[in-house]
Amino acid sequence: MGLHAFVHEHLPAAPARVLDVGCGRGDLARAMARAGHRVVAIDPDAPDGDLFRTTTLEEFADPDPFDAVVANLALHHVADLADAVDRIAALLRSRGRLIVNEHAVDRLDEPTARWYLDKRAQVRPDTSQSLQRCLREWSDDHADLHGYGAMRRELDRRFTEHLFTWTPYLYGELGGVATEAEEQALIDAGAIRAMTFRYVGERPAKEPT
Ligand SMILES: C[S@@+](CC[C@H](N)C(=O)[O-])C[C@H]1O[C@@H](n2cnc3c(N)ncnc32)[C@H](O)[C@@H]1O
Protein backbone atom coordinates (compact mmCIF):
# COMPACT_ATOMS: atom_id res chain seq x y z
CA MET A 1 0.00 0.00 0.00
CA GLY A 2 1.30 3.45 -0.91
CA LEU A 3 2.05 5.99 1.79
CA HIS A 4 -0.89 8.28 1.02
CA ALA A 5 -3.36 5.36 1.04
CA PHE A 6 -1.93 4.14 4.36
CA VAL A 7 -2.28 7.59 5.95
CA HIS A 8 -5.79 8.15 4.60
CA GLU A 9 -6.90 4.73 5.82
CA HIS A 10 -5.91 5.57 9.39
CA LEU A 11 -6.96 9.20 9.62
CA PRO A 12 -10.24 9.90 11.44
CA ALA A 13 -13.17 10.77 9.18
CA ALA A 14 -12.89 14.14 7.44
CA PRO A 15 -12.93 16.90 8.38
CA ALA A 16 -10.34 16.01 11.04
CA ARG A 17 -7.80 18.47 12.38
CA VAL A 18 -4.42 17.05 11.30
CA LEU A 19 -0.85 18.13 12.03
CA ASP A 20 1.85 17.01 9.56
CA VAL A 21 5.21 17.11 11.36
CA GLY A 22 8.25 17.52 9.10
CA CYS A 23 6.07 17.94 5.99
CA GLY A 24 8.99 18.52 3.59
CA ARG A 25 7.68 19.65 0.19
CA GLY A 26 4.11 19.24 1.43
CA ASP A 27 2.69 16.64 -1.00
CA LEU A 28 1.05 14.59 1.75
CA ALA A 29 -0.28 17.71 3.53
CA ARG A 30 -1.92 18.91 0.29
CA ALA A 31 -3.42 15.46 -0.35
CA MET A 32 -4.91 15.37 3.17
CA ALA A 33 -6.36 18.86 2.67
CA ARG A 34 -7.86 17.79 -0.68
CA ALA A 35 -9.51 14.88 1.18
CA GLY A 36 -11.32 17.43 3.35
CA HIS A 37 -9.08 17.53 6.44
CA ARG A 38 -8.10 20.72 8.23
CA VAL A 39 -4.32 20.45 7.90
CA VAL A 40 -1.48 22.34 9.54
CA ALA A 41 1.90 21.27 8.17
CA ILE A 42 5.16 22.26 9.88
CA ASP A 43 8.75 22.09 8.76
CA PRO A 44 11.76 24.40 9.15
CA ASP A 45 11.87 24.28 5.33
CA ALA A 46 8.11 24.40 4.73
CA PRO A 47 6.86 25.57 1.32
CA ASP A 48 4.70 28.67 0.94
CA GLY A 49 0.95 28.30 1.33
CA ASP A 50 -1.92 28.49 3.76
CA LEU A 51 -1.42 24.96 5.12
CA PHE A 52 2.23 25.49 5.98
CA ARG A 53 4.16 26.93 8.93
CA THR A 54 7.91 27.44 8.76
CA THR A 55 8.80 26.17 12.20
CA THR A 56 10.07 23.16 14.10
CA LEU A 57 8.08 20.80 16.30
CA GLU A 58 10.03 22.19 19.26
CA GLU A 59 8.88 25.77 18.52
CA PHE A 60 5.35 25.01 17.34
CA ALA A 61 2.36 25.75 19.58
CA ASP A 62 -1.36 25.66 18.87
CA PRO A 63 -4.14 26.33 21.37
CA ASP A 64 -6.53 23.78 19.81
CA PRO A 65 -5.87 20.04 19.98
CA PHE A 66 -5.35 17.95 16.84
CA ASP A 67 -7.36 14.82 16.01
CA ALA A 68 -4.31 13.25 14.36
CA VAL A 69 -0.60 13.83 13.89
CA VAL A 70 1.21 12.43 10.86
CA ALA A 71 5.01 12.05 10.93
CA ASN A 72 6.47 10.74 7.68
CA LEU A 73 10.24 10.12 7.84
CA ALA A 74 10.59 12.99 10.33
CA LEU A 75 11.03 11.48 13.80
CA HIS A 76 14.42 9.91 13.10
CA HIS A 77 15.76 13.43 12.43
CA VAL A 78 14.66 15.32 15.55
CA ALA A 79 17.34 16.23 18.09
CA ASP A 80 15.54 15.10 21.26
CA LEU A 81 13.28 12.17 20.42
CA ALA A 82 11.68 11.83 23.88
CA ASP A 83 10.82 15.52 23.91
CA ALA A 84 9.42 15.33 20.34
CA VAL A 85 7.12 12.40 21.20
CA ASP A 86 5.98 14.20 24.37
CA ARG A 87 5.19 17.29 22.30
CA ILE A 88 3.22 15.27 19.75
CA ALA A 89 1.19 13.62 22.53
CA ALA A 90 0.49 17.05 24.07
CA LEU A 91 -0.71 18.45 20.71
CA LEU A 92 -3.24 15.62 20.31
CA ARG A 93 -6.66 15.43 21.85
CA SER A 94 -7.37 12.56 24.19
CA ARG A 95 -7.58 9.37 22.05
CA GLY A 96 -6.10 11.27 19.09
CA ARG A 97 -4.03 9.29 16.59
CA LEU A 98 -0.36 9.33 15.70
CA ILE A 99 0.41 7.94 12.22
CA VAL A 100 4.07 7.23 11.55
CA ASN A 101 6.06 6.05 8.54
CA GLU A 102 9.72 5.72 9.45
CA HIS A 103 13.13 4.37 8.58
CA ALA A 104 14.68 1.80 10.90
CA VAL A 105 18.33 2.61 10.23
CA ASP A 106 19.65 0.47 13.07
CA ARG A 107 18.37 -2.75 11.48
CA LEU A 108 20.76 -3.30 8.57
CA ASP A 109 22.28 -6.75 9.16
CA GLU A 110 24.56 -8.92 7.02
CA PRO A 111 21.86 -10.85 5.07
CA THR A 112 20.00 -7.62 4.26
CA ALA A 113 23.16 -5.80 3.21
CA ARG A 114 24.26 -8.80 1.11
CA TRP A 115 20.90 -8.92 -0.72
CA TYR A 116 21.09 -5.17 -1.33
CA LEU A 117 24.69 -5.29 -2.59
CA ASP A 118 24.02 -8.27 -4.90
CA LYS A 119 21.03 -6.49 -6.40
CA ARG A 120 22.87 -3.20 -6.72
CA ALA A 121 25.77 -4.91 -8.49
CA GLN A 122 23.29 -5.94 -11.22
CA VAL A 123 22.30 -2.36 -11.93
CA ARG A 124 25.50 -0.50 -10.93
CA PRO A 125 28.53 -2.84 -11.21
CA ASP A 126 30.78 0.22 -10.75
CA THR A 127 29.53 0.60 -7.13
CA SER A 128 30.67 -2.89 -6.04
CA GLN A 129 31.54 -2.81 -2.34
CA SER A 130 32.54 -5.36 0.33
CA LEU A 131 29.87 -6.40 2.82
CA GLN A 132 31.88 -5.22 5.81
CA ARG A 133 32.58 -1.85 4.22
CA CYS A 134 28.88 -1.42 3.37
CA LEU A 135 27.85 -2.15 6.98
CA ARG A 136 30.54 0.16 8.37
CA GLU A 137 29.65 3.04 6.05
CA TRP A 138 25.92 2.60 6.72
CA SER A 139 26.53 2.71 10.45
CA ASP A 140 28.79 5.79 10.15
CA ASP A 141 26.39 7.62 7.81
CA HIS A 142 23.39 7.08 10.11
CA ALA A 143 25.09 7.47 13.49
CA ASP A 144 23.30 10.75 14.29
CA LEU A 145 19.80 9.46 13.45
CA HIS A 146 17.36 7.74 15.80
CA GLY A 147 16.90 4.04 15.06
CA TYR A 148 13.92 1.76 15.43
CA GLY A 149 14.78 0.73 19.00
CA ALA A 150 14.77 4.31 20.27
CA MET A 151 11.60 5.25 18.37
CA ARG A 152 9.77 2.15 19.55
CA ARG A 153 10.68 2.90 23.17
CA GLU A 154 9.40 6.48 22.98
CA LEU A 155 6.22 5.57 21.08
CA ASP A 156 5.40 2.84 23.61
CA ARG A 157 5.92 5.28 26.47
CA ARG A 158 3.24 7.66 25.19
CA PHE A 159 0.90 5.76 22.85
CA THR A 160 -1.21 2.62 22.65
CA GLU A 161 -0.36 0.70 19.49
CA HIS A 162 -3.19 0.15 17.00
CA LEU A 163 -1.15 -1.03 14.05
CA PHE A 164 2.45 -1.94 13.28
CA THR A 165 3.91 -3.26 10.01
CA TRP A 166 7.39 -3.69 8.61
CA THR A 167 7.48 -2.35 5.07
CA PRO A 168 9.89 -2.73 2.12
CA TYR A 169 12.18 0.19 1.31
CA LEU A 170 15.42 -0.95 -0.32
CA TYR A 171 13.78 -2.00 -3.62
CA GLY A 172 13.13 1.68 -4.29
CA GLU A 173 16.88 2.35 -4.15
CA LEU A 174 17.69 -0.42 -6.62
CA GLY A 175 16.78 1.05 -9.99
CA GLY A 176 14.15 -1.53 -10.90
CA VAL A 177 16.11 -4.76 -10.29
CA ALA A 178 14.00 -5.61 -7.24
CA THR A 179 10.28 -5.23 -6.65
CA GLU A 180 8.34 -4.27 -3.56
CA ALA A 181 6.69 -7.72 -3.60
CA GLU A 182 10.07 -9.47 -3.75
CA GLU A 183 11.45 -7.48 -0.82
CA GLN A 184 8.22 -8.00 1.17
CA ALA A 185 8.38 -11.77 0.58
CA LEU A 186 11.98 -11.91 1.84
CA ILE A 187 11.03 -9.83 4.89
CA ASP A 188 8.04 -12.09 5.62
CA ALA A 189 10.25 -15.19 5.28
CA GLY A 190 12.79 -13.71 7.72
CA ALA A 191 15.53 -13.80 5.07
CA ILE A 192 16.21 -10.05 5.24
CA ARG A 193 15.14 -7.26 7.55
CA ALA A 194 12.70 -4.46 6.76
CA MET A 195 14.32 -1.04 6.95
CA THR A 196 11.05 0.90 7.24
CA PHE A 197 8.02 0.57 9.49
CA ARG A 198 4.51 1.94 9.78
CA TYR A 199 2.84 2.57 13.10
CA VAL A 200 -0.51 3.90 14.26
CA GLY A 201 -0.93 4.72 17.93
CA GLU A 202 -3.55 6.36 20.08
CA ARG A 203 -2.98 8.85 22.83
CA PRO A 204 -4.56 7.23 25.90
CA ALA A 205 -7.55 8.99 27.44
CA LYS A 206 -5.66 9.07 30.73
CA GLU A 207 -1.99 10.15 30.89
CA PRO A 208 0.39 7.28 31.75
CA THR A 209 1.75 7.65 35.31
C1 LIG B 1 13.26 13.02 5.25
S1 LIG B 1 12.40 14.53 5.27
C2 LIG B 1 10.73 14.00 5.08
C3 LIG B 1 9.85 15.06 4.52
C4 LIG B 1 8.39 14.65 4.22
N1 LIG B 1 7.69 14.20 5.40
C5 LIG B 1 8.38 13.62 3.13
O1 LIG B 1 8.37 12.44 3.42
O2 LIG B 1 8.46 14.02 1.96
C6 LIG B 1 12.44 15.01 6.96
C7 LIG B 1 11.84 16.39 7.20
O3 LIG B 1 11.77 16.62 8.59
C8 LIG B 1 12.05 18.00 8.80
N2 LIG B 1 12.46 18.18 10.20
C9 LIG B 1 13.65 17.87 10.76
N3 LIG B 1 13.65 18.20 12.06
C10 LIG B 1 12.43 18.74 12.32
C11 LIG B 1 11.83 19.29 13.49
N4 LIG B 1 12.50 19.36 14.64
N5 LIG B 1 10.57 19.75 13.42
C12 LIG B 1 9.89 19.69 12.24
N6 LIG B 1 10.41 19.17 11.10
C13 LIG B 1 11.67 18.70 11.14
C14 LIG B 1 13.12 18.32 7.78
O4 LIG B 1 13.23 19.70 7.50
C15 LIG B 1 12.68 17.53 6.59
O5 LIG B 1 11.85 18.27 5.71
Side-chain angles (χ1 to χ4, degrees):
M1 181 187 286
L3 175 74
H4 288 205
F6 160 70
V7 170
H8 285 294
E9 182 171 307
H10 294 284
L11 283 173
R17 191 153 193 269
V18 182
L19 175 67
D20 184 347
V21 173
C23 64
R25 292 182 318 174
D27 296 344
L28 179 59
R30 288 188 200 90
M32 293 189 291
R34 279 196 301 274
H37 296 293
R38 290 175 290 137
V39 177
V40 177
I42 62 171
D43 197 298
D45 297 318
D48 293 333
D50 289 348
L51 304 180
F52 301 105
R53 310 273 182 282
T54 303
T55 186
T56 62
L57 176 62
E58 293 78 0
E59 289 164 353
F60 178 71
D62 193 297
D64 299 319
F66 289 89
D67 299 309
V69 172
V70 175
N72 177 36
L73 305 179
L75 284 181
H76 67 282
H77 280 294
V78 299
D80 185 335
L81 181 62
D83 175 67
V85 175
D86 284 348
R87 284 175 188 277
I88 288 171
L91 287 161
L92 279 167
R93 68 167 166 77
S94 165
R95 310 207 66 183
R97 280 178 218 172
L98 171 60
I99 302 172
V100 172
N101 180 58
E102 261 303 347
H103 290 314
V105 294
D106 51 342
R107 283 176 45 89
L108 187 71
D109 64 357
E110 288 197 11
T112 310
R114 191 176 300 113
W115 177 76
Y116 173 75
L117 288 176
D118 288 350
K119 288 284 180 188
R120 195 179 66 175
Q122 290 173 29
V123 63
R124 300 259 329 261
D126 55 311
T127 60
S128 158
Q129 192 182 37
S130 80
L131 183 64
Q132 290 314 320
R133 187 167 160 206
C134 169
L135 288 165
R136 200 171 49 249
E137 287 188 2
W138 178 272
S139 165
D140 291 348
D141 289 349
H142 297 89
D144 57 340
L145 299 178
H146 303 295
Y148 170 70
M151 284 189 274
R152 182 80 235 197
R153 212 168 30 250
E154 295 307 328
L155 292 171
D156 285 346
R157 196 169 56 78
R158 277 288 180 197
F159 290 90
T160 304
E161 180 186 312
H162 275 205
L163 172 135
F164 179 88
T165 53
W166 291 117
T167 47
Y169 169 74
L170 294 172
Y171 76 96
E173 305 288 301
L174 285 168
V177 292
T179 64
E180 181 176 7
E182 177 184 359
E183 187 178 344
Q184 184 73 64
L186 290 167
I187 291 165
D188 292 345
I192 65 171
R193 282 180 166 182
M195 300 297 295
T196 308
F197 69 92
R198 288 177 180 174
Y199 169 93
V200 179
E202 182 180 282
R203 180 189 154 175
K206 205 164 158 242
E207 286 296 307
T209 48

